[in-house]
Amino acid sequence: MGFFRNYGLAVLVLLAGLWYYSCSQETPVKAESSVKAGQSPKGISASTQWMSPLAILRPGETPLWFELGREKPELVDSPGDASLKPFEPWPLTRWMTGFLIQEDRLIGTVNRSGFLVFIPAGEEDVALYPVTDAAGWENYTVASLFLYQKTPAVLLYRNDFFEEPLAVPPEPPVRGLAWGLIPGGSKPIGLELPALKSLPAGEGWEADALRLGKDGYWYYRGENRGRDKPVYFRSPDLASPGEPASAGDFRSASEPSPVREAPALLARLLEEAFKLSGPGTIPVAAVTFAESGGTRYFSETPPPAGETGEFVELSGYYRGGGAGFPGDPQGLVLFPGGKGVYGKLREGTIETGGFTLPSLPEKFSYTGIGLTGPALIALWEEREDLNVGAAGFMVIRWKSGPAFL
């Protein structure tokens, strides 16, 4: 639901009415005690050697399930065994909003908590690092996850759709990953975005949306809690002041791109996935896109003639290779129920196939997917309309090459 969450609660309210693969079993998890204090496991870069990971994960054929705790994730036997939590509106509770790709790292953010970072640690393991500030984040909602000058960052804001905010506007509104910036730091740091200085300086104004438009500009909105009309700006990059934009510009920039504008490999995967979506559905894919430093949305444009069915949001992962992104281009597209398609570009030839992730209990859905080192990581949530109960992620081994299954 990331597209509909991020791009309009009004749309959400409107629409609300409307091959488990195998591989060799390994030791599932090495506890943090297996990593000496002050040392990093094999394969970790120098920029993170000052920080010990929470755990070293060794994925195998048995999935590792984690639910999101206030300060750190907790290992559970299955999503159905996660702590019973009351359903709460999505802006007010913990769930993973998505991923960023940074070199070989997979970086996620947890609403109301902080960052989770997954880094390959040798050929068989993945190191898990929570970089959290629950006390500083728990009164705010994550609006977007993006890269700012190569730093993973989020925009926080006060969501007042479901209840009146108690906290003051976040200052600064952007939090970055402390990684490599403050040696020894283990909490997100505040960042100043020059683009946001275009917003009015009066009391109560705050940015509540930031998105990369189809035209390559960054679009953002300022709100003053009903006392004034929202203001809109766009900027060619977040380090530059913005220029005024209209509400129409803002809405248009956030519309999904047509599949034909995707790179060839990703376009093939989207086409194959959309064919599987079945009649009566309109698929929209939210793809973690390495080269854009964030998430891009794709749909069939225009929709099939006369199509008025239910929207279904797929999640995806795409890494095009090249500088900063080693290896062959590869991608994944995943349905909420766990069925997906994969692909890889090898010596100019596109290889594709299908896969199915472990099944989830009723009311649970997969909401995101990514690859890092030997691991596939999939996000999951327990959902009821616009509310979230338990949430977490799953880790399982992913074999490269054509023998994915």
Side-chain angles (χ1 to χ4, degrees):
M1 281 179 21
F3 173 73
F4 306 109
R5 286 169 174 164
N6 291 335
Y7 296 122
L9 281 165
V11 176
L12 264 171
V13 174
L14 176 64
L15 294 179
L18 293 168
W19 296 300
Y20 183 28
Y21 55 88
S22 63
C23 40
S24 59
Q25 173 93 28
E26 302 288 353
T27 303
V29 177
K30 298 177 184 176
E32 186 180 1
S33 59
S34 67
V35 180
K36 295 181 180 179
Q39 294 184 359
S40 293
K42 180 181 178 182
I44 296 298
S45 63
S47 65
T48 57
Q49 287 182 355
W50 47 265
M51 186 178 180
S52 294
L54 171 69
I56 301 297
L57 312 179
R58 176 165 291 184
E61 65 175 8
T62 302
L64 302 172
W65 300 99
F66 292 85
E67 67 168 316
L68 301 175
R70 183 174 182 270
E71 298 286 350
K72 62 184 180 180
E74 303 287 347
L75 186 65
V76 293
D77 290 336
S78 71
D81 294 313
S83 302
L84 290 176
K85 298 177 181 177
F87 283 97
E88 293 184 277
W90 62 264
L92 311 179
T93 190
R94 285 188 300 274
W95 55 281
M96 291 193 69
T97 68
F99 285 127
L100 282 176
I101 304 169
Q102 189 183 43
E103 299 176 348
D104 58 352
R105 305 173 181 179
L106 196 62
I107 299 166
T109 189
V110 181
N111 194 53
R112 304 260 161 171
S113 180
F115 294 98
L116 281 180
V117 184
F118 302 85
I119 302 180
E123 295 182 357
E124 297 182 317
D125 300 330
V126 173
L128 170 61
Y129 295 82
V131 184
T132 59
D133 183 13
W137 285 40
E138 60 190 356
N139 292 319
Y140 304 106
T141 299
V142 172
S144 57
L145 172 63
F146 56 97
L147 281 176
Y148 173 61
Q149 297 182 341
K150 300 183 179 180
T151 298
V154 298
L155 174 68
L156 301 181
Y157 74 107
R158 300 179 302 163
N159 187 290
D160 64 351
F161 189 86
F162 295 99
E163 67 179 26
E164 190 65 26
L166 300 177
V168 299
E171 183 58 41
V174 176
R175 300 293 191 275
L177 190 59
W179 223 273
L181 299 178
I182 301 179
S186 60
K187 291 186 177 181
I189 60 170
L191 296 176
E192 294 287 347
L193 253 62
L196 298 186
K197 294 185 180 297
S198 302
L199 299 178
E203 182 179 355
W205 283 98
E206 60 185 296
D208 70 346
L210 174 68
R211 60 190 65 159
L212 182 62
K214 294 185 294 183
D215 57 2
Y217 277 77
W218 287 93
Y219 287 78
Y220 45 104
R221 178 177 61 202
E223 291 273 6
N224 197 12
R225 301 298 165 199
R227 293 189 289 273
D228 297 276
K229 291 183 178 179
V231 293
Y232 302 90
F233 294 87
R234 73 172 194 169
S235 176
D237 63 79
L238 297 174
S240 303
E243 61 186 32
S246 69
D249 295 334
F250 185 79
R251 287 192 297 269
S252 177
S254 66
E255 293 173 354
S257 299
V259 172
R260 65 176 179 272
E261 294 182 5
L265 170 60
L266 179 58
R268 171 81 70 83
L269 295 178
L270 292 170
E271 289 169 355
E272 292 187 10
F274 288 173
K275 289 177 182 177
L276 297 174
S277 61
T281 61
I282 302 175
V284 177
V287 181
T288 299
F289 208 93
E291 286 75 3
S292 67
T295 299
R296 289 186 61 183
Y297 294 87
F298 294 92
S299 67
E300 295 178 307
T301 306
E307 189 68 72
T308 58
E310 178 185 0
F311 282 86
V312 176
E313 183 168 332
L314 287 63
S315 54
Y317 167 96
Y318 176 75
R319 190 180 69 197
F325 303 102
D328 295 324
Q330 57 182 314
L332 306 164
V333 179
L334 178 69
F335 283 83
K339 182 170 62 176
V341 294
Y342 69 83
K344 194 166 189 174
L345 183 62
R346 193 192 306 273
E347 297 179 352
T349 300
I350 295 178
E351 302 170 354
T352 66
F355 67 95
T356 302
L357 296 184
S359 60
L360 295 171
E362 185 179 359
K363 293 188 177 182
F364 286 72
S365 299
Y366 287 109
T367 59
I369 193 168
L371 299 174
T372 182
L376 179 149
I377 300 169
L379 311 182
W380 57 265
E381 295 176 21
E382 183 185 18
R383 294 177 172 178
E384 190 173 83
D385 298 325
L386 304 183
N387 302 307
V388 175
F393 59 92
M394 182 270 291
V395 182
I396 197 166
R397 187 166 183 83
W398 183 255
K399 292 180 180 180
S400 62
F404 281 15
L405 301 181

